Structures are given as structure tokens and as C-alpha cells.
Amino acid sequence: MIPFPKLGSKRSFPLMGFSWPCLISFLWLLGCDPAEQASSCPEASARKLEPGCSSCHADLVQAWSRSPHARALGDPRGGGILGDFSVGELRLGGRGYRLGRSKSGIPWIEVEDGKGKWERYEVVHSLGHDPLQQYLLRFSRGRFQVPPIAWDARPKAEGGQRWFALSEARKPEDPLHWKGRFFTANGMCLECHVTGYRKGFDPEKMRYTSRWDEGGVRCAACHPKVPSTKAVSSLDLCGSCHARRLPLRDGAAPGSLFLDEYVPRLLEEPLYRPDGGIQDEVFVYGSFVQSRMHQAGVGCLDCHDPHSLQLKAPGNALCLRCHKAETFDRTGHHLHSEGSEAARCVTCHMPARTYMGIDPRRDHGLRVPRPDLAEASHSPSVCMGCHKERGEAWAAEALSKAHPRGRVARGGPRLPYGPILAAARRGEPGAAAGLARLIQDPQQAPIVRATALLELPRLPLAPEAKARALSLASEAMGDTHPLVRRAALGALGPLAPRLAPRLLDDPLRSVRVEAARVLARGEGKAWERAFAEYRASLAANADRPGAWLQRAILEQRRGELAQARASCRKSLALDPGFAPALVNWADLLRMENKDLEGLRLLEGFRSRHPGAQVVWQAEVLTLVRLGRRKQALDLVRRALRRFPGSRELLLYQNLLEKKK
Ligand code: HEC
Ligand code: HEC
Ligand code: HEC
Ligand code: HEC
Ligand code: HEC
Ligand code: HEC
Ligand code: HEC
Ligand code: HEC
């Protein structure tokens, strides 16, 4: 634990837990000889760890076994299935289901296919247990699919103990249909719910041979070798699963540096609001790294016990281990009656958002409420959760009265990024200057600076602004934080490929791989290694159509057009509705002067998937190239009826009308 002084007081807070001599005597009392034990612990590097652990670490094993980590994956043969499979027939979300159990007690689910036909699937595993449990059904080619119904595991008194639909029934061609890739657990779920996962996807046979050492998040997920001498920050350890991220290898080594194994999502729309608040299901990492608490060195283990996962103190006492009660746990600070819901620190600083209908999760951004910036940030303040009828201006007024020297009245210690990111996303004038300020501001969290870098090239930049952006990016490529280096490369590397080679031997894989992607060609040892790692990262994600698209782009840039076309086809085989791959395929045809063929491809796709805006755009551009301006203009107008206000389409319309 990091012994932070109580903020605003001179007292430092006491060290918790056993001291070393205490541990020895504890083991001795248990009848273990410490000398003997110390020798058996270091040898434990086997994959299956815990049976051997409980003899000496009984208390920790017990705390862990009652935690959600122990129950992250359930096996119908080993118990842990909470759902009631004796309910018979159900109709949920516009689809029929029948539930039951085989003679040997294994649960199954029959799903109606929308045309009155029923298909039966065996339940192979459960995921989670509180407040809901989901199920994995056995499919062909080694796949496990997640059906769109779940068991509400809350007590009956809270409305639980029932089946419910996670989404409405969808048509088979919809990418979000439950038999589609987004609900294939091998690629989408299991890696975080088990220990020692290898996905094992074979892109030739399009089948999985997924394996894992143990179900659930077990000792080995955090202690791959014991006792470990390597210090891993809790953020690297916990972040590997508590983050929206893409793995760079199949089978990440637990206990590695997060950015050596994964690429996290930045504060992109629609995952996060412009002020960084949670919107989609993003888990914890991307929120917590925005906080000033993280910047000051606070970690997950300052609040959570790693084994029981319980908070280290209940209610406001958790925060008051470091923050002064006399200052913050008072009406003078929070304006509400002490002890009320509105006076809980987490109500304002970690507001909850509910996912999957019944699962509230708390925003770990630990932000200060800013009703004064809500409008400019396009992000309603937490006050509006209860005072909607009074409005943001009222809330801002109340706060500046209560804190005449505070944030709302005078501004805070760091520039708020919400209004800047919101302005950039609306393409407002002056947005680029705001982004530049964020990128260069050392007070900002690296994830914020990286997000600003990502936004910069999306703005239309005048030539002198472009020159400034390039010099910014060049500087950011030498930044101390890998997230910033990587974002600088990705955002502006293609405009300045001269600058990328120096990051081919970056200490972190997530940066090296990005340098290889940006360059596409190179030579020398550093290049060879980074390029091999890049290819391996594409192979590790070979069950995702996006990885094949990346591969197609790489091959296209290397002049390997036949391979590039094959990669586009592979991408579409994995997801026939994956529009970017189709657009790229049409672009390959353009390079071979086969625009007519490309046009037919685009038209066919658009009639099957009219919701894909990029395909409409590509079709307009192809028509223009073929000299069919009138047809292009007609198509733009039709597209604008479907996607009103689209910046790209409006631009096309303007250009085409001007030239008519
Ligand atoms: C025979 C007794 C014994 C067994 C079995 C045992 N340990 Fe230990 N373990 C100890 C003792 C004693 C220590 C403290 C001394 C040390 O650090 O080497 C310890 C320390 C640890 C530490 C802390 C290391 C550090 O760097 O502070 C971890 C983690 C750990 N054990 C995990 C495990 C796991 C996981 C297992 C099961 C694979 C296990 N142990 C099995 C006796 C045991
Ligand atoms: C191997 C992936 C993995 C790692 C590593 C991991 N977690 Fe988890 N964690 C999970 C999963 C999966 C769940 C959900 C389990 C469930 O509900 O069945 C979970 C649940 C939790 C919960 C409980 C959430 C709730 O709804 O009550 C907390 C708290 C938590 N983890 C904290 C941590 C911390 C702290 C660390 C690092 C010390 C960590 N986790 C490391 C995968 C992981
Ligand atoms: C990146 C890691 C990761 C992936 C991938 C993942 N989960 Fe989880 N899952 C978690 C964590 C972490 C939690 C604990 C969530 C929390 O409370 O923040 C969790 C919790 C759950 C729970 C318990 C209920 C709850 O919300 O706490 C269920 C059920 C679940 N996940 C199902 C799934 C399914 C189904 C998929 C695939 C479609 C999936 N998970 C993919 C990490 C993951
Ligand atoms: C989610 C990650 C996680 C899992 C799972 C986990 N541990 Fe730990 N463990 C930690 C972390 C982190 C620490 C260091 C705690 C600290 O520094 O405060 C730790 C510390 C320990 C220690 C040192 C004593 C102590 O209390 O700090 C032992 C022993 C230990 N773990 C054993 C186990 C055993 C046995 C299991 C399986 C039952 C297990 N751990 C599962 C993360 C985990
Ligand atoms: C382990 C100590 C510790 C704990 C526990 C802790 N904090 Fe903090 N907190 C800090 C530190 C350190 C800072 C940074 C102070 C600084 O940089 O001036 C901070 C800053 C903050 C800030 C200011 C954020 C900003 O953007 O200016 C808020 C709000 C906050 N904490 C709320 C909480 C809440 C709510 C809890 C309980 C859920 C909590 N803290 C628990 C140590 C802690
Ligand atoms: C300042 C204290 C604090 C820190 C630091 C902290 N948490 Fe939490 N965490 C909380 C509180 C409070 C809750 C809400 C618990 C509840 O509602 O029962 C929570 C809830 C969670 C949950 C349950 C789901 C949710 O989002 O509500 C998970 C998972 C979790 N934390 C993981 C982490 C991880 C991983 C880290 C480090 C990256 C971390 N936490 C850092 C205080 C903290
Ligand atoms: C969880 C709901 C909740 C949230 C969130 C909340 N409030 Fe309140 N607020 C209340 C309730 C209930 C009362 C009346 C009882 C009381 O004073 O505790 C109240 C009373 C007040 C009052 C007292 C005077 C009046 O005119 O009613 C002010 C001022 C106020 N809130 C401002 C805010 C501000 C500013 C925020 C955001 C930082 C906020 N509240 C967030 C529920 C909430
Ligand atoms: C009703 C909402 C609300 C509640 C409840 C609340 N806070 Fe705050 N907190 C705020 C607002 C608003 C600010 C910014 C005040 C200002 O400076 O204008 C703030 C600021 C802070 C800061 C930053 C102070 C600084 O000067 O940088 C910390 C730390 C903090 N709160 C901790 C806590 C803790 C700990 C609790 C629980 C004991 C708590 N807050 C409860 C609304 C709340």
C-alpha cells in the first residue's frame, strides 16, 4: 500500500495488514515450518496453482474463493449454474426459448429461429454470477455462442430470480445477431473469464481450438510465478482484464506490462462522453487513468483487496483514509444533508451507470462535477441525475456560492478537456488550437493527450496548421508516455514517415507494432522484429474482420495486390456485413483500373446493407471518377436523406453542386 499522508493534514495513515514477523508466527501456529515453506513456494511455477497454495495461504485462498474472480466461469458439471432451467417455454425480446436439462443434468437451451423452427444447444459454461449470469452454448467449429437471454441473479425482493432478454431479436443478416461474431465467446469473452487462455483460431479452417488452464480468475492469473520478485503495478495487472483493449498476442503473459501486451481504446466516441465519463461498457482502466488520483500514484489496491475484492473500508470511510473528513464529509463541501445518498462521496465523484439492464457500475474517473461546463462538454453533470428540473446553470450557481474559491468559480488546476474534445468532434473553428494545448500540457493524463492526438488529423487543417500539427506530433513521438508515443505515430505518422523508424525499437510492443504498421516497409534488425510482431498481432486477431482489413491495407501498401484482395475476401467471410473491407476491395479494383467492377460490388453491398454510410460515400466517389456526375449527385442527395447532417456527404454535395 502506498502510505499517502492524509491530504490536508499532517497525520500519515497507518500501514495495514500483517507485518513480516507476524506472518511467520501465523504460519508457525498453523503448524507449518516457515523455512520449509519458503522453499516450496518459490518452486511453484506450474500452470495449475491453487491446490498447493491453501496449505500455507489458507486465509487468502478462502477470501479469493468467495470473490467474483473465483466464479467468473462456471461449469455445469461442477455446479455454479444459477439459472432456473425447469421453467419450460419462454418468450423474451420477441423470440421463443425452451429450457431444460439432459438426463445427466446438463442444461440446454432451445432457440426459435424466427421461422418457427427450434434448435437445441448444450450449455457448456456460465459467465459471472452477480447481478446476472450468462451462458455459453456449444456450436460447430469449436465455437461457443452467447444467447441473448440471461439470468437475473438478484434476490426475488429486488425483482430478480427470472430470465430476461439482453436485446431484441435481430435478423440473421444483422451483425448483432446472437449467432454472429460479436457473441462468439472464444474471441469476445473467455480471455478475461479464465486463466491461461489460448484462443487457437485457425483462419484456414475457420475453427477454434480454444484452451485454458483453469476456469475463473485464479492465483496464476496474477501470480504466474511465486513468489514473484517482479514488481507489477496494479494498473498493469488488473488493467489486463478491466479494460477495453485489443491483445497483441494469443496468450498474453500475466504480470507483464499492460502496454506490452495490449492496446487500450482511447477516450473515443461512443465509448466515452467528451468529458471522459463512461458511456459504453468500458470497464475501469480507461477511466481511472484519467484521474488525478492515478497521476498522484494511487492504484487499484488502495481501495480494493486483490483477493476478496472487497473495498478496504465501507462507504465514505474509504475516501476518508486519505481525504480529510472535516473538509469533505460536511454539508459545507457537498451541500447535502450528512448521511444522505447525495452526501456519499461516490454519488458525485464516481457516478454509476447501469449496463445490461440491471448492472450498475461506477465511473472510476474520480472527476469533480462541473455543471458550468456541461453544455460545452456535451456531457450532463452528475447533479442532473437528481435536479434535472433546476438545470445546470442553477447547479453551477449553487456551487460557486458554496465554494467562492473553488473550481466552478475560479477554474481548476488543470485545463478541462471536455469542451475541447466536444468542439473538435463538432469540427468547430479553433478546435485544433485547443487540441494542441491538451497535447502539450504535461498536467493532462496521457490518455487525454493521446485522444487529442487522435482527433487532430480528423479536423480539416489549413497548411500552416498542418505544419504545426506535424511538429507537435514529432515532439509527441519522443514523449515519456507510451500511449502518447503510439497515438502520435498513428495519428500523424503517415504524414511524416521519416519520424517513425526511431520507434521501431521502443521498449513497448504496442508502440513498436504501430511503428511497423505506419511504415509498412523497412530494413534492419529493429524493423524485422517490429514487423514480425505486427504480423503476429494480426494473426492473434485473425478471427476479427478488422485484422484482415489491416492486413489488406498493409499488403496494398507493399504492392501485394493479389494477397490484399484475398485478405479483403477473408475479412468479408468472417463478417459479410463488414463494410470497410468491401470499400477497400473496391479501392483495390480502382488501382487496377476496374472502377466499373468496383461499382457493381458497392451497389450490391449497399442494397443488402443500406445502413453502411462508407459504402454510399465510396460509390459516390466511384461515380465521379467514372464521369457520372449527375448520378453521383442524385446518390449524395439520397444518402443525405438517410444520414442527414453527415459532414462528408455535405462536402460532396457542395462540390458536386458547384461544378454542375
Ligand atoms: C509450503 C508453504 C507454501 C505454499 C504451499 C505456498 N506458499 Fe506462497 N509463501 C509461503 C511463504 C512462507 C511466503 C513468504 C516468504 C517468501 O516471500 O518467500 C510466501 C509468499 C508468497 C507470496 C508473496 C511473495 C512476495 O513477493 O511477496 C505469494 C504471491 C505467494 N506466496 C503465492 C503462493 C501461491 C500462488 C501458492 C500456490 C501455488 C503458494 N504461494 C504456495 C509459503 C507457501
Ligand atoms: C484475468 C482477468 C482479470 C484480472 C487479471 C483481474 N480481474 Fe477483476 N474481474 C475479472 C472478471 C472476469 C470479473 C467478473 C467476475 C464475475 O462477476 O463473475 C472481475 C471482477 C472484479 C471485481 C468485482 C466486480 C463486481 O461486480 O463486484 C473487482 C472489484 C475486480 N475484479 C477487481 C480487480 C482487481 C483489483 C484486479 C487486480 C488486482 C483484478 N480485478 C484483476 C477479470 C479479471
Ligand atoms: C476485457 C475483459 C472482458 C471481456 C472480453 C469480457 N468480460 Fe465479462 N467481465 C469482465 C469484467 C472485468 C467483469 C466485472 C465487471 C464489472 O463489474 O466491472 C465482467 C463481468 C461479467 C459478468 C457478470 C455480471 C457483471 O456484469 O458483473 C458477465 C455475465 C459477463 N462478464 C459476461 C461476459 C460476456 C458474455 C462476454 C463476451 C460477450 C464478456 N463478459 C467479455 C471482463 C471481461
Ligand atoms: C486478481 C489478482 C490476484 C489473484 C487472482 C490472486 N492474487 Fe495474490 N496477490 C495479488 C496482489 C496484487 C498481491 C500484492 C498485494 C499487496 O501488495 O498489497 C497479492 C499478494 C499475495 C500474497 C502475499 C501476501 C499478501 O497478502 O500480500 C500471497 C501469499 C498471495 N497473494 C497468494 C494468492 C493465492 C494463493 C491466490 C489464489 C487463491 C491468489 N493470491 C490470487 C493479486 C492476486
Ligand atoms: C490512497 C489515498 C486515496 C484514497 C483512498 C482516495 N483518494 Fe482521492 N485523491 C488522492 C490523491 C493523492 C489525490 C490527488 C491530489 C492532488 O493531486 O492534489 C486525490 C484527488 C481526488 C480528487 C480530485 C480530483 C480532481 O480532478 O481534482 C477527488 C474528487 C477525489 N480524490 C475523490 C476521492 C473519492 C471519492 C475517494 C473514495 C472513493 C477517494 N478520493 C479516495 C488520494 C486518495
Ligand atoms: C478510490 C478508490 C478506488 C480505486 C482507486 C479503484 N476503485 Fe474500483 N471501485 C471503487 C468503489 C467505491 C466501487 C463501487 C463499489 C460498490 O458499488 O459496491 C468500485 C467498483 C469497482 C468494480 C465493480 C464494478 C464497478 O465499476 O462498479 C470493479 C470491477 C473495480 N472497481 C475495479 C477497479 C480496478 C481494476 C481499479 C484500478 C484500475 C480500481 N477499481 C480502482 C473504488 C475504487
Ligand atoms: C442522488 C441525488 C442528488 C444528486 C446527485 C445531487 N443532489 Fe442536490 N439534492 C438532492 C436532494 C434529495 C436534496 C434535498 C435534501 C438535501 O438537502 O439533502 C438536494 C438539495 C440540494 C440543494 C439544497 C437547496 C435546494 O435549493 O434544494 C442544493 C444547492 C443542491 N442539492 C445542489 C446540488 C448540486 C450542485 C449537485 C451536483 C454537484 C447535486 N445537488 C447533486 C439530491 C441530489
Ligand atoms: C453532491 C456532490 C458531492 C459530494 C457528495 C462530494 N463531493 Fe467532493 N466535490 C464536489 C464538487 C462540486 C467539487 C468541486 C468544488 C469546487 O471547488 O468548486 C468537489 C471537489 C472535491 C475534491 C477536490 C478538492 C480540490 O480542491 O481539489 C475532493 C478531494 C473531493 N471533492 C472529495 C470528496 C470526498 C472525499 C467526498 C465524500 C466525503 C466528497 N467529495 C463528496 C461534489 C461533491
Side-chain angles (χ1 to χ4, degrees):
M1 186 194 307
I2 310 167
F4 279 101
K6 247 194 200 216
L7 303 172
S9 81
K10 295 217 163 58
R11 201 155 50 96
S12 66
F13 76 94
L15 281 166
M16 307 261 291
F18 292 120
S19 63
W20 173 233
C22 182
L23 176 63
I24 302 247
S25 54
F26 183 61
L27 290 166
W28 190 76
L29 279 175
L30 285 175
C32 309
D33 177 39
E36 210 181 283
Q37 283 137 21
S39 67
S40 58
C41 195
E43 297 308 317
S45 60
R47 286 224 164 107
K48 294 203 190 237
L49 281 178
E50 73 267 23
C53 317
S54 40
S55 54
C56 305
H57 302 297
D59 49 343
L60 289 182
V61 174
Q62 204 180 45
W64 166 85
S65 68
R66 294 200 206 102
S67 78
H69 279 166
R71 296 189 260 178
L73 186 93
D75 180 346
R77 284 163 193 86
I81 302 281
L82 304 174
D84 179 0
F85 282 83
S86 68
V87 290
E89 198 163 326
L90 295 166
R91 199 162 179 84
L92 291 169
R95 200 188 281 286
Y97 300 90
R98 289 180 194 139
L99 311 180
R101 283 182 187 269
S102 71
K103 279 202 194 83
S104 53
I106 303 297
W108 48 257
I109 299 183
E110 275 184 10
V111 188
E112 188 211 1
D113 70 351
K115 297 183 193 109
K117 237 182 80 197
W118 293 82
E119 288 161 338
R120 180 180 291 197
Y121 305 95
E122 178 195 338
V123 171
V124 266
H125 291 290
S126 62
L127 292 183
H129 72 291
D130 180 31
L132 64 131
Q133 187 166 65
Q134 287 183 270
Y135 299 92
L136 305 189
L137 305 184
R138 192 188 297 287
F139 267 59
S140 60
R141 288 182 283 132
R143 275 184 306 151
F144 302 128
Q145 291 293 127
V146 187
I149 56 168
W151 177 253
D152 179 345
R154 297 172 305 167
K156 203 156 191 137
E158 291 169 30
Q161 301 297 306
R162 56 165 189 135
W163 292 96
F164 70 108
L166 291 164
S167 66
E168 288 298 303
R170 292 171 186 270
K171 297 212 171 79
E173 61 274 17
D174 189 325
L176 292 177
H177 187 273
W178 76 275
K179 290 185 187 173
R181 65 185 174 100
F182 288 110
F183 301 97
T184 303
N186 314 57
M188 300 305 289
C189 315
L190 282 165
E191 58 181 303
C192 304
H193 284 260
V194 302
T195 300
Y197 186 61
R198 274 96 56 212
K199 180 164 64 180
F201 181 69
D202 178 345
E204 292 297 316
K205 300 194 181 109
M206 300 272 273
R207 62 172 291 134
Y208 290 95
T209 45
S210 305
R211 298 263 178 284
W212 54 91
D213 300 331
E214 302 164 285
V217 182
R218 297 190 172 244
C219 314
C222 300
H223 303 294
K225 280 205 175 70
V226 287
S228 162
T229 44
K230 212 167 85 180
V232 177
S233 87
S234 65
L235 202 68
D236 285 300
L237 182 59
C238 316
S240 63
C241 300
H242 290 271
R244 275 289 278 263
R245 81 290 185 278
L246 204 63
L248 290 167
R249 299 194 298 168
D250 185 7
S256 312
L257 293 175
F258 181 63
L259 293 171
D260 219 17
E261 297 286 0
Y262 301 97
V263 177
R265 297 291 295 270
L266 300 180
L267 308 180
E268 299 151 57
E269 273 183 317
L271 302 184
Y272 297 88
R273 315 186 313 183
D275 74 347
I278 54 175
Q279 192 153 298
D280 203 343
E281 194 184 356
V282 284
F283 304 116
V284 169
Y285 172 91
S287 301
F288 190 61
V289 295
Q290 294 174 51
S291 70
R292 278 182 64 215
M293 276 170 59
H294 167 245
Q295 279 180 301
V298 178
C300 314
L301 304 184
D302 287 308
C303 295
H304 295 280
D305 179 274
H307 302 109
S308 69
L309 300 183
Q310 308 249 314
L311 294 173
K312 295 210 164 164
N316 288 0
L318 178 67
C319 316
L320 301 175
R321 296 166 80 216
C322 302
H323 296 289
K324 245 169 87 178
E326 308 85 276
T327 310
F328 296 107
D329 208 10
R330 297 286 182 272
T331 302
H333 173 67
H334 51 61
L335 318 180
H336 294 85
S337 328
E338 280 171 36
S340 68
E341 178 64 25
R344 291 177 64 196
C345 315
V346 291
T347 299
C348 287
H349 296 296
M350 299 182 76
R353 192 179 163 89
T354 299
Y355 297 90
M356 294 182 284
I358 59 172
D359 185 13
R361 302 211 185 133
R362 294 212 175 261
D363 190 329
H364 281 65
L366 290 145
R367 245 169 292 278
V368 161
R370 292 297 297 266
D372 54 321
L373 300 177
E375 198 185 326
S377 304
H378 270 213
S379 312
S381 80
V382 64
C383 317
M384 293 306 105
C386 304
H387 296 293
K388 201 150 188 186
E389 69 302 334
R390 306 258 204 153
E392 303 280 11
W394 168 83
E397 176 70 29
L399 287 177
S400 38
K401 256 200 228 129
H403 302 284
R405 273 174 297 156
R407 300 288 159 101
V408 176
R410 296 238 189 131
R414 68 181 186 190
L415 182 68
Y417 42 92
I420 296 175
L421 292 179
R425 280 160 196 171
R426 288 193 302 256
E428 280 174 14
L435 293 177
R437 280 181 71 193
L438 287 182
I439 294 165
Q440 289 180 301
D441 181 357
Q443 297 270 336
Q444 298 294 335
I447 199 168
V448 170
R449 298 172 58 215
T451 305
L453 276 159
L454 198 74
E455 294 288 341
L456 197 54
R458 293 181 183 162
L459 291 172
L461 296 178
E464 72 277 15
K466 203 171 240 166
R468 223 173 312 125
L470 279 177
S471 86
L472 263 179
S474 156
E475 202 181 301
M477 279 185 214
D479 199 84
T480 50
H481 201 281
L483 265 186
V484 176
R485 294 198 296 276
R486 185 184 148 86
L489 259 173
L492 294 155
L495 301 176
R498 217 169 22 85
L499 300 172
R502 60 179 153 141
L503 291 176
L504 284 170
D505 58 1
D506 194 273
L508 288 155
R509 191 189 328 244
S510 59
V511 182
R512 294 194 295 270
V513 157
E514 187 68 348
R517 184 186 72 82
V518 162
L519 286 166
R521 285 168 185 283
E523 53 193 30
K525 262 214 169 88
W527 159 259
E528 299 290 337
R529 177 175 77 153
F531 189 59
E533 286 173 332
Y534 178 42
R535 306 277 318 207
S537 78
L538 295 179
N541 292 292
D543 56 341
R544 296 177 185 245
W548 287 96
L549 173 63
Q550 285 278 323
R551 199 160 145 165
I553 294 170
L554 175 70
E555 287 156 347
Q556 186 175 349
R557 291 178 57 206
R558 291 166 64 89
E560 302 157 352
L561 297 192
Q563 285 103 309
R565 234 177 301 132
S567 295
C568 284
R569 248 181 266 129
K570 195 84 195 174
S571 180
L572 286 161
L574 285 164
D575 181 351
F578 190 58
L582 188 99
V583 169
N584 217 69
W585 188 353
D587 197 48
L588 286 164
L589 291 168
R590 171 192 63 82
M591 291 173 76
E592 298 170 44
N593 289 320
K594 293 181 184 159
D595 260 335
L596 263 180
E597 206 177 304
L599 186 67
R600 276 199 299 278
L601 203 61
L602 292 164
E603 275 170 356
F605 188 91
R606 177 169 57 80
S607 65
R608 291 189 304 276
H609 307 279
Q613 191 186 329
V614 283
V615 176
W616 292 74
Q617 284 168 220
E619 206 179 323
V620 171
L621 295 178
T622 312
L623 286 169
V624 171
R625 273 200 304 277
L626 289 167
R628 304 189 195 167
R629 288 180 165 273
K630 190 180 162 312
Q631 222 180 322
L633 186 57
D634 285 347
L635 193 66
V636 170
R637 288 184 178 146
R638 274 172 59 204
L640 271 167
R641 281 199 290 279
R642 192 175 262 277
F643 313 101
S646 146
R647 257 201 278 167
E648 292 85 356
L649 289 168
L650 284 170
L651 184 72
Y652 295 176
Q653 188 183 25
N654 270 342
L655 290 173
L656 283 164
E657 280 176 346
K658 247 190 239 156
K659 294 235 174 106
K660 214 161 62 177

